[in-house]
Amino acid sequence: MDRPDHILIVDDDPDIREMLVAYLTRQGLASSGAADGRAMRRVLASERVDLLVLDLMLPGEDGISLCRELRAPGQPPLPIVMLSARADEADRILGLELGADDYLPKPFAARELLARVRSVLRRTRMLPPPIAAEMPRPQVRFGAWTLDAVARHLVDEAGTVVALSGAEYRLLRVLLQHPQRILNRDQLLQLTQGRDADVFDRSIDLLVSRLRQRLRDDVREPRYIKTVRSEGYVFCMPVEAAP
């Protein structure tokens, strides 16, 4: 019998923590709680955890610092859904940039959290097994380009800034996380558009075309994004941290 997914709830509010643990357990998930970063580390050191639900506003070490720690080089990949009672867009963006896979403002319905947990687990597992989806560093370089992951724009060798739309940035980030690997359209849709993606939608082809234009990539002889017939797309250029 398959082991149920283990969800760790890190929240200093005991009522929220206990409610979520009980609800997720009723839904067939193995669930446990931790009140702070110290308790979180104890669970991670002793048990296998498949996904972390992490509150932004924690006493002592907050969710941002814990997310940064969990996304440090060498750390094993762990999906994270971040919670926050604050509606500040800057917090949401920072959490996602540091590596949270999804973000849910409080108050929320337990059913919505469950849907997001399942969506993140599904997107994570759509990738081929050897791939570890590390978050890109603040600046990464490939070919003639540097991506600034904070400002979300490209810079060419002459220093010219090329703006990216939100969808273009998400697609490029996914490709940079998985260079030299073929990703099919369904994987790219789920990884860039999440739970609202229609797996029969072919808008990903239009998005790839727009991103190629931003990269000044020759469609007939592409340097960056190649089409693999009947399979998907592959990012061909080596990716490295910018100095």
Side-chain angles (χ1 to χ4, degrees):
M1 184 175 179
D2 292 338
R3 179 187 66 86
D5 290 317
H6 181 192
I7 313 301
L8 176 59
I9 312 295
V10 184
D11 196 307
D12 63 314
D13 186 322
D15 293 334
I16 291 178
R17 196 168 63 243
E18 292 168 12
M19 180 272 292
L20 290 178
V21 167
Y23 177 77
L24 294 176
T25 299
R26 290 197 302 272
Q27 301 305 313
L29 298 167
S31 305
S32 55
D36 53 27
R38 182 178 299 178
M40 177 196 78
R41 293 186 190 94
R42 285 199 298 268
V43 176
L44 292 176
S46 61
E47 302 180 42
R48 175 175 171 177
V49 174
D50 296 287
L51 183 142
L52 191 70
V53 177
L54 179 62
D55 187 28
L56 178 67
M57 301 298 292
L58 292 171
E61 298 173 288
D62 62 13
I64 292 295
S65 63
L66 293 175
C67 189
R68 184 182 288 114
E69 174 186 321
L70 293 168
R71 289 295 186 253
Q75 291 294 322
L78 176 64
I80 298 173
V81 175
M82 187 166 281
L83 306 176
S84 178
R86 290 163 54 173
D88 191 339
E89 184 179 8
D91 286 334
R92 179 176 62 85
I93 292 173
L94 180 57
L96 294 173
E97 290 294 346
L98 286 172
D101 298 274
D102 206 344
Y103 188 102
L104 188 61
K106 295 179 178 179
F108 57 86
R111 287 180 60 190
E112 181 175 5
L113 175 65
L114 175 63
R116 290 179 183 249
V117 163
R118 287 176 170 164
S119 175
V120 169
L121 288 171
R122 182 172 61 251
R123 297 201 310 264
T124 301
R125 288 164 181 169
M126 286 185 73
L127 296 174
I131 295 177
E134 295 181 0
M135 299 299 296
R137 295 171 175 81
Q139 291 190 338
V140 293
R141 186 167 58 193
F142 54 94
W145 296 98
T146 297
L147 173 68
D148 187 322
V150 176
R152 296 191 171 202
H153 62 225
L154 288 163
V155 182
D156 67 13
E157 292 177 312
T160 303
V161 173
V162 176
L164 297 172
S165 70
E168 290 164 353
Y169 169 77
R170 290 192 298 273
L171 174 60
L172 179 57
R173 192 170 86 167
V174 167
L175 293 170
L176 293 179
Q177 288 171 339
H178 309 98
Q180 319 301 330
R181 298 303 300 263
I182 297 172
L183 297 176
N184 63 41
R185 290 177 176 84
D186 291 348
Q187 289 174 325
L188 290 172
L189 279 166
Q190 288 288 341
L191 289 166
T192 57
Q193 300 180 32
R195 61 194 175 90
D196 295 325
D198 180 353
V199 296
F200 298 104
D201 194 339
R202 287 297 174 259
S203 62
I204 199 70
D205 297 327
L206 297 176
L207 187 55
V208 167
S209 177
R210 281 166 38 196
L211 183 56
R212 280 173 169 159
Q213 292 177 19
R214 298 285 188 266
L215 295 171
R216 303 167 194 157
D217 210 7
D218 188 335
V219 176
R220 289 168 295 185
E221 296 184 10
R223 296 180 60 205
Y224 298 103
I225 306 171
K226 290 187 178 180
T227 303
V228 182
R229 186 177 297 276
S230 301
E231 294 192 55
Y233 297 97
V234 59
F235 192 83
C236 314
M237 190 66 64
V239 180
E240 60 183 8

